[in-house]
Amino acid sequence: MTPPEPRPRDRGIPEATVARLPVYLRALQALDDRGILTVSSEHLAETTGVNSAKLRKDLSHLGSYGTRGVGYEVEYLIYQISRELGLTQDWSVAIVGVGNLGRALANYGGFGTRGFRIAALLDADTAVLGDTVAGLPVGHIDTLEDVVRKEKVSIGVIATPAAAAQEVCDRFVEAGVTSVLNFAPVVLNVPPGVDVRKVDLSIELQILAFHEQRKADGYAGLDPFGKGPA
Amino acid sequence: MTPPEPRPRDRGIPEATVARLPVYLRALQALDDRGILTVSSEHLAETTGVNSAKLRKDLSHLGSYGTRGVGYEVEYLIYQISRELGLTQDWSVAIVGVGNLGRALANYGGFGTRGFRIAALLDADTAVLGDTVAGLPVGHIDTLEDVVRKEKVSIGVIATPAAAAQEVCDRFVEAGVTSVLNFAPVVLNVPPGVDVRKVDLSIELQILAFHEQRKADGYAGLDPFGKGPA
DNA sequence: ACGCCCTTGTGAACACGCGCACAAAGTGGG
DNA sequence: CCCACTTTGTGCGCGTGTTCACAAGGGCGT
Ligand SMILES: NC(=O)c1ccc[n+]([C@@H]2O[C@H](COP(=O)([O-])OP(=O)(O)OC[C@H]3O[C@@H](n4cnc5c(N)ncnc54)[C@H](O)[C@@H]3O)[C@@H](O)[C@H]2O)c1
Ligand SMILES: NC(=O)c1ccc[n+]([C@@H]2O[C@H](COP(=O)([O-])OP(=O)(O)OC[C@H]3O[C@@H](n4cnc5c(N)ncnc54)[C@H](O)[C@@H]3O)[C@@H](O)[C@H]2O)c1
């Protein structure tokens, strides 16, 4: 009936659950776009590739928003997950390093759709300064502190070469940024209270290679073309 | 009764360990470049941001390659990890979807350095067909099966819009590819035996947003040194 | 109003990974 | 040759996460 008041929920949401909420959210939005009003844990679990009991337990951490015998109300669940993830507010993001990857990120439309606003693009190379990428001018790295303060940047994205990443990270942290997304292949050192997540393509490929090798090792039967590594 | 252990050599390396081996490898190569011959678990652990006992346990899965009282021989460890990960052989990679991200990936130098060779770039858009990106011509998606066979592609990279990802994936699998790296924000459905790893920028940002919101939510003052996740 | 059937929410067992702490092993100095 | 010191390798307890299985809750048809 009347939507319950957003109460202070149990803050102890398991990390593993947090990592899955965005996946559920995406699936729910697809359902919503198709005009579907309710969904069962079984169905949602199937489309997101998780176990249905796990899904229910995940959702139970936000409180109980399902109806037995029916399922979950899609719109309401979208709202609850969004609120839990902090997507009901806008987050400013600054990208440092406007090379191959930085440009791709800047041009990526999916950013803004979910409350993430690219506040600034910064680089050290004078050759790219002043360029306009995705409608934003590329600023100088020395303005990082100003930008963070003025634009209230809360998430810093590092897309510089590895050698520069730690220094850029330090400047982010010094300027008050407490969340960093790092694409450079280095382990960043940060003080407690700062979250770093890394996206490392090279590691992903190496993990795939490991499993690929194992499949090939004495299990050639699964290999219709007998093609091993090149 | 007797567990399926046909192999004398224990191939049961924990997934969590596999995911860290590339990190160790990178640190070791940096040490090697500086001419350092041996390293202790303590030191290597510190530079890779893991617990030293965990590091030792990880390495113990490849056999015992350390010397008590001294540490590990850098070069030998590099070789052992490389071999375990399957990096002593070359792997052919095909990238489908040559847009913002696909171009960035193709232009990324770090690919080739570790035994990954970009064998082909494929796209469906006639506007980009024939373009040369990073020295490679962009081929038509319909040649996927031919390319996979001829180039012995074992890893498929999907950088198309979400709507096309499943279809591209199916074609990869049908052609015999058993390892897929997916950048599109969808859950891919694959038969058993096929490994899929996903890189999802949007999810990473949402996880950061969650923690950022929690930091802001009232607990800012209770925790002077921010014992939160780091 | 009643009972059937569907779906949720969760207790409990299990699997996995982490990190402490320590014995064993090896080094180097005296 | 012995002893003090360093560092590895690992047994073990702990915490987290996953899955099964099922009782309780709720809608809906009759
Ligand atoms: N391109 C990819 O697909 C890809 C894939 C995986 C990882 N990466 C990693 O992402 C990072 C960026 O890759 P890229 O291909 O875009 O490299 P790139 O060389 O094209 O771009 C790097 C940019 O960072 C700028 N830069 C350098 N030092 C800087 C500093 N101190 N402050 C600010 N800006 C600085 C450079 O001017 C350049 O514009 C690298 O660390 C790379 O290893 C890239
Ligand atoms: N650009 C980014 O930084 C970024 C970040 C996160 C996720 N992603 C995801 O990566 C994917 C690619 O992003 P992008 O920015 O490069 O998009 P893009 O639109 O620039 O490029 C997509 C390319 O795929 C091609 N394509 C479309 N359908 C195809 C098909 N059926 N077969 C083969 N090729 C096809 C298009 O012609 C285009 O060249 C998207 O799913 C996006 O959500 C991108």
Side-chain angles (χ1 to χ4, degrees):
Chain A
M1 212 69 355
T2 26
E5 203 57 30
R7 60 246 160 98
R9 269 274 97 239
D10 177 18
R11 285 307 186 198
I13 297 187
E15 193 57 32
T17 295
V18 173
R20 283 187 294 266
L21 290 180
V23 180
Y24 304 151
L25 185 55
R26 198 136 62 197
L28 286 164
Q29 255 141 6
L31 293 175
D32 193 42
D33 290 345
R34 287 163 47 199
I36 292 169
L37 298 179
T38 63
V39 65
S40 72
S41 64
E42 196 67 50
H43 182 232
L44 188 55
E46 195 178 343
T47 66
T48 52
V50 305
N51 177 293
S52 70
K54 178 157 59 175
L55 173 76
R56 287 196 297 276
K57 198 160 283 190
D58 282 344
L59 295 183
S60 78
H61 286 112
L62 340 171
S64 287
Y65 297 121
T67 307
R68 293 169 189 230
V70 176
Y72 298 86
E73 194 188 332
V74 172
E75 264 190 38
Y76 191 49
L77 205 45
I78 288 175
Y79 167 70
Q80 291 298 342
I81 295 179
S82 296
R83 191 172 53 80
E84 195 61 50
L85 288 174
L87 304 180
T88 50
Q89 52 189 285
D90 279 346
W91 300 98
S92 285
V93 177
I95 299 177
V96 176
V98 191
N100 292 313
L101 187 58
R103 278 165 203 274
L105 295 174
N107 282 315
Y108 177 47
F111 251 126
T113 60
R114 182 76 58 232
F116 296 97
R117 184 178 66 90
I118 300 184
L121 305 175
L122 302 175
D123 204 297
D125 188 348
T126 53
V128 302
L129 290 181
D131 277 17
T132 296
V133 177
L136 276 173
V138 177
H140 192 275
I141 180 70
D142 283 346
T143 64
L144 186 146
E145 287 77 9
D146 291 337
V147 165
V148 167
R149 201 179 318 112
K150 282 212 197 88
E151 302 282 349
K152 300 201 191 313
V153 169
S154 43
I155 299 178
V157 174
I158 299 178
T160 66
Q166 183 63 59
E167 189 202 325
V168 170
C169 179
D170 290 345
R171 292 183 67 170
F172 266 135
V173 170
E174 184 64 28
V177 172
T178 53
S179 291
V180 173
L181 183 54
N182 177 37
F183 287 89
V186 281
V187 177
L188 292 180
N189 228 319
V190 293
V194 176
D195 285 306
V196 176
R197 295 194 67 86
K198 71 160 189 270
V199 173
D200 196 320
L201 175 59
S202 175
I203 288 181
E204 298 301 325
L205 285 176
Q206 289 176 51
I207 294 173
L208 285 175
F210 170 82
H211 292 296
E212 194 65 26
Q213 174 176 249
R214 181 179 289 198
K215 289 178 213 162
D217 273 359
Y219 222 63
L222 276 184
D223 194 352
F225 293 96
K227 59 148 189 59
Chain B
M1 305 285 137
T2 312
E5 289 283 337
R7 208 175 297 272
R9 175 72 188 289
D10 179 20
R11 284 296 188 201
I13 296 186
E15 194 56 33
T17 294
V18 173
R20 282 186 296 266
L21 290 180
V23 180
Y24 305 151
L25 184 56
R26 197 136 63 196
L28 286 164
Q29 258 144 2
L31 293 175
D32 194 41
D33 290 345
R34 288 163 47 200
I36 292 170
L37 298 180
T38 63
V39 65
S40 72
S41 65
E42 196 66 49
H43 182 233
L44 187 56
E46 195 178 342
T47 66
T48 52
V50 305
N51 177 290
S52 68
K54 178 159 58 175
L55 170 55
R56 287 196 295 277
K57 200 164 285 187
D58 283 343
L59 295 184
S60 78
H61 288 295
L62 341 171
S64 288
Y65 298 121
T67 308
R68 294 171 187 224
V70 176
Y72 298 85
E73 194 187 334
V74 173
E75 263 192 37
Y76 189 50
L77 205 46
I78 288 176
Y79 168 70
Q80 290 298 343
I81 296 179
S82 296
R83 191 173 51 81
E84 195 61 49
L85 288 174
L87 304 181
T88 50
Q89 48 190 289
D90 280 345
W91 300 98
S92 286
V93 177
I95 299 176
V96 176
V98 191
N100 292 314
L101 188 59
R103 279 165 202 272
L105 295 174
N107 283 314
Y108 178 47
F111 252 126
T113 61
R114 288 213 212 301
F116 296 98
R117 184 178 67 89
I118 301 183
L121 306 175
L122 302 175
D123 204 297
D125 187 349
T126 53
V128 302
L129 290 181
D131 277 18
T132 296
V133 177
L136 277 174
V138 177
H140 192 275
I141 181 68
D142 282 348
T143 64
L144 186 146
E145 288 76 8
D146 291 336
V147 164
V148 166
R149 203 179 315 111
K150 282 211 197 90
E151 302 282 348
K152 300 196 191 313
V153 170
S154 42
I155 300 178
V157 174
I158 298 177
T160 66
Q166 182 64 58
E167 189 202 325
V168 171
C169 178
D170 291 344
R171 292 184 65 170
F172 266 136
V173 170
E174 184 64 28
V177 172
T178 53
S179 291
V180 173
L181 182 54
N182 178 36
F183 288 88
V186 281
V187 178
L188 292 180
N189 228 320
V190 293
V194 175
D195 285 306
V196 175
R197 296 193 67 86
K198 71 161 188 271
V199 174
D200 196 320
L201 176 58
S202 175
I203 288 181
E204 299 302 324
L205 285 175
Q206 289 175 52
I207 294 173
L208 285 175
F210 170 82
H211 291 298
E212 194 66 27
Q213 179 184 51
R214 178 177 292 198
K215 288 179 215 162
D217 271 1
Y219 283 104
L222 288 183
D223 196 0
F225 292 96
K227 57 104 201 152

